[in-house]
Amino acid sequence: MKRISLPITAKEAAAFRAGDSVLLSGTIYTARDRAHQLMKELLENGRELPIDLDGAAVYYCGPCPAPPGRVIGSCGPTSATRMDPYAPLFFDRGVRIVIAKGPFAPPVTDAIRRNGALYLCATGGAGALLADCVESMEECAFPELGTESIKRLIVRDMPLIVGIDTEGRSLFNGGEQ
């Protein structure tokens, strides 16, 4: 099992290969469809984003409200393909890691390779277990979106698998580029 401590540089990301099991620790941001759409609109209108994408790790997730005594509720991954229309733009704006489940479209794989980024896969259906890795949560943008607002999470030892590496090798096509 390899470890990733955030933030991570493109050079550090290059040490990981599709299929590697990793434990991720550091700051990640949650964002789903509507948050991606709103950020794209901000960029199109020449406005600043509510979070800094340079070197960011983005988790395609809309966490459930925290039950009493917990930092966060279940926080399972959303399907990667739902963000296909936005992902290349955000990788090109500096996103270093995306966490989701399932495959991405080829243009997204191209953007991952072009930017020395990584796609880390989370296990679907394991949201309650992934929540145990969250040490803190803070809402930081688009509160009107409720559970789909952008949240800053501090995670420790979140178990993930490298789905697409910096060279474009993918678990979803037999490790080919």
Side-chain angles (χ1 to χ4, degrees):
M1 181 84 57
K2 296 182 177 183
R3 293 187 175 274
I4 297 176
S5 294
L6 299 170
I8 185 174
T9 66
K11 183 178 178 179
E12 292 167 330
F16 297 92
R17 296 287 175 260
D20 286 349
S21 294
V22 300
L23 295 173
L24 180 73
S25 296
T27 301
I28 63 176
Y29 294 94
T30 64
R32 286 189 45 163
D33 316 54
R34 187 71 176 114
H36 277 75
Q37 181 183 8
L38 290 172
M39 287 193 295
K40 181 180 181 209
E41 290 171 5
L42 287 172
L43 290 172
E44 289 171 345
N45 291 311
R47 300 192 49 214
E48 286 195 33
L49 295 178
I51 60 172
D52 183 6
L53 295 181
D54 190 32
V58 179
Y59 185 19
Y60 296 170
C61 173
C64 295
R70 301 291 309 250
V71 172
I72 196 169
S74 181
C75 59
T78 297
S79 296
T81 56
R82 291 178 63 160
M83 267 32 95
D84 281 351
Y86 311 104
L89 170 67
F90 293 115
F91 280 116
D92 289 343
R93 297 285 300 199
V95 168
R96 179 76 57 223
I97 289 175
V98 162
I99 304 160
K101 66 179 180 182
F104 268 122
V108 180
T109 299
D110 292 342
I112 290 169
R113 182 179 41 244
R114 179 172 64 246
N115 292 287
L118 293 170
Y119 167 37
L120 303 179
C121 296
T123 302
L129 296 172
L130 293 170
D132 287 339
C133 302
V134 179
E135 295 182 336
S136 69
M137 177 185 70
E138 174 189 3
E139 186 172 70
C140 54
F142 310 130
E144 67 276 14
L145 299 181
T147 59
E148 293 193 27
S149 66
I150 296 178
K151 296 167 181 63
R152 180 183 300 108
L153 307 180
I154 305 296
V155 299
R156 179 169 309 283
D157 293 340
M158 180 178 268
L160 304 164
I161 297 171
V162 178
I164 302 172
D165 64 28
T166 61
E167 297 297 318
R169 291 178 289 257
S170 173
L171 290 180
F172 302 100
N173 63 5
E176 300 294 319
Q177 291 184 355

